[in-house]
Amino acid sequence: MKALVARLDSFGDVLLAGPAVRAVAARADHVTLLCGPRGAPAARLLPGVDEVLVWDAPWGGFAPPDVSREDIDALVERIDADTALVLTSFHQSPLPTALVLRLAGVRYIAADSVDYPGSLLDLRHRRAPHAHEAEAALGLAEAAGFPRPDDGRLRVHPPPPADGLTGPGPYVVLHPGASVPARAWSPGRCAEAVRELAAAGHRVLVTGGPDERALTAHVAGAHGTDLGGRTEASELAAVLAGASVVVTGNTAPAHLAAAVGTPVVSLFAPVVPAERWRPYGVPYVLLGDQDAPCADSRARDCPVPGHPCLNTVTATDVAAAVEKLLGEA
């Protein structure tokens, strides 16, 4: 059986699809993961994936491309699968993707859908209310005939050693950036946390992407080690795997930390529900006002002046959460 799993969203979303991908891989001869450009680096980290097919869908992402018949025809020609799962977030429709897969000749297509699918889906599944995104994907896989083969936690291929980046000895990672501004703790608060953690005797590494070098340099200051722009996906996985605790917002490194088994202090803005997107399968402490006015708004920019849901969290709160997780370990 040739199977395809579609998850067209971001890096973290693809990581959360990992347990469902492993369930499919346990019964399929070949697994293709269809993902968007932002999710592709995560797709290449997942066990069970034989082929990564990258496509920028007009119905996904923050800056989707225009609809192009030529582009869709080219994708249809590349798809070679008998069975497909279309994984989406709870607020998304799988039907546009299902239409493309049907045009490609996929015979059996399963997805969670609240909309009438016509002939686009063979299995119209209803996810369990309030299910975490990873659990929802596993629920769909099981309903489609792919029971979970293991504990269902997030996983990636073992990353390479990162000693050259991290140096010797224990450390805490602080990742100040976020995929959308509404989910980020303020740079000032992040810098305060680095100073407070360093004063408590922790070595602090500050991570970020190539476009976040100014942010990571500011946050690291004189008390942390700035790794901004120095880690591709596998290297970041290695850095997070070696950390005692990771401090980050609701963004990809939270899920990557969970995938390598590292506890997380989660600075969680409630613009999306924590029950669906919190760190999965590892010890964590959730910080942030989950009843703030922005709750469940899916806002990309904070709609409340001062970003109070996160900026009421102090560096002392973060330091205490780090100590709590270290004590539990």
Side-chain angles (χ1 to χ4, degrees), residues 136-153:
L138 277 168
L140 174 62
E142 185 165 13
F146 301 102
R148 66 176 72 191
D150 51 42
D151 60 9
R153 293 175 64 172

Side-chain angles (χ1 to χ4, degrees), residues 256-268:
L256 189 54
V260 295
T262 302
V264 179
V265 175
S266 176
L267 292 145
F268 201 101

Side-chain angles (χ1 to χ4, degrees), residues 151-252:
D151 60 9
R153 293 175 64 172
L154 306 189
R155 286 200 183 93
V156 293
H157 291 297
D163 297 351
L165 287 168
T166 66
Y171 58 89
V172 171
V173 167
L174 191 147
H175 186 91
S179 55
V180 296
R183 301 181 193 177
W185 204 27
S186 74
R189 285 278 198 243
C190 291
E192 290 171 8
V194 170
R195 293 194 293 270
E196 185 143 347
L197 288 167
H202 299 290
R203 199 160 58 91
V204 185
L205 310 186
V206 181
T207 57
D211 59 343
E212 295 174 322
R213 287 191 177 99
L215 172 63
T216 59
H218 169 75
V219 169
H223 301 276
T225 299
D226 179 13
L227 296 183
R230 298 175 61 190
T231 52
E232 298 294 335
S234 61
E235 294 158 332
L236 180 59
V239 170
L240 300 182
S244 302
V245 177
V246 173
V247 180
T248 184
N250 174 30
T251 193

Side-chain angles (χ1 to χ4, degrees), residues 75-221:
L75 176 65
V76 165
E77 289 300 317
R78 295 173 66 193
I79 291 171
D80 180 16
D82 312 304
T83 296
L85 302 188
V86 182
L87 303 181
T88 54
S89 298
F90 70 98
H91 61 278
Q92 296 172 326
S93 172
L95 299 185
T97 305
L99 175 59
V100 172
L101 296 175
R102 197 63 93 195
L103 290 172
V106 179
R107 293 193 297 271
Y108 181 88
I109 303 173
D112 291 326
S113 181
V114 298
D115 300 314
Y116 173 64
S119 62
L120 296 180
L121 298 180
D122 299 284
L123 173 63
R124 178 194 185 191
H125 185 251
R126 299 295 183 99
R127 68 170 61 198
H130 313 295
H132 191 282
E133 291 294 304
E135 286 289 342
L138 277 168
L140 174 62
E142 185 165 13
F146 301 102
R148 66 176 72 191
D150 51 42
D151 60 9
R153 293 175 64 172
L154 306 189
R155 286 200 183 93
V156 293
H157 291 297
D163 297 351
L165 287 168
T166 66
Y171 58 89
V172 171
V173 167
L174 191 147
H175 186 91
S179 55
V180 296
R183 301 181 193 177
W185 204 27
S186 74
R189 285 278 198 243
C190 291
E192 290 171 8
V194 170
R195 293 194 293 270
E196 185 143 347
L197 288 167
H202 299 290
R203 199 160 58 91
V204 185
L205 310 186
V206 181
T207 57
D211 59 343
E212 295 174 322
R213 287 191 177 99
L215 172 63
T216 59
H218 169 75
V219 169

Side-chain angles (χ1 to χ4, degrees), residues 90 182-183 269-273 292-304:
F90 70 98
R183 301 181 193 177
V271 291
V272 295
C294 64
D296 295 337
S297 66
R298 300 206 299 272
R300 292 191 60 203
D301 294 294
C302 181
V304 182

Side-chain angles (χ1 to χ4, degrees), residues 2-83:
K2 293 181 179 180
L4 181 145
V5 179
R7 182 74 215 214
L8 292 171
D9 295 291
S10 66
F11 191 107
D13 300 310
V14 171
L15 289 177
L16 292 174
V21 169
R22 296 199 308 274
V24 172
R27 300 232 169 164
D29 301 308
H30 185 277
V31 177
T32 298
L33 183 55
L34 173 63
C35 62
R38 293 183 302 131
R44 297 185 178 102
L45 297 179
L46 293 183
V49 175
D50 298 299
E51 178 185 4
V52 176
L53 186 55
V54 182
W55 185 59
D56 199 2
W59 48 86
F62 300 137
D66 293 335
V67 175
S68 163
R69 179 168 180 168
E70 293 77 11
D71 188 42
I72 292 174
D73 287 345
L75 176 65
V76 165
E77 289 300 317
R78 295 173 66 193
I79 291 171
D80 180 16
D82 312 304
T83 296

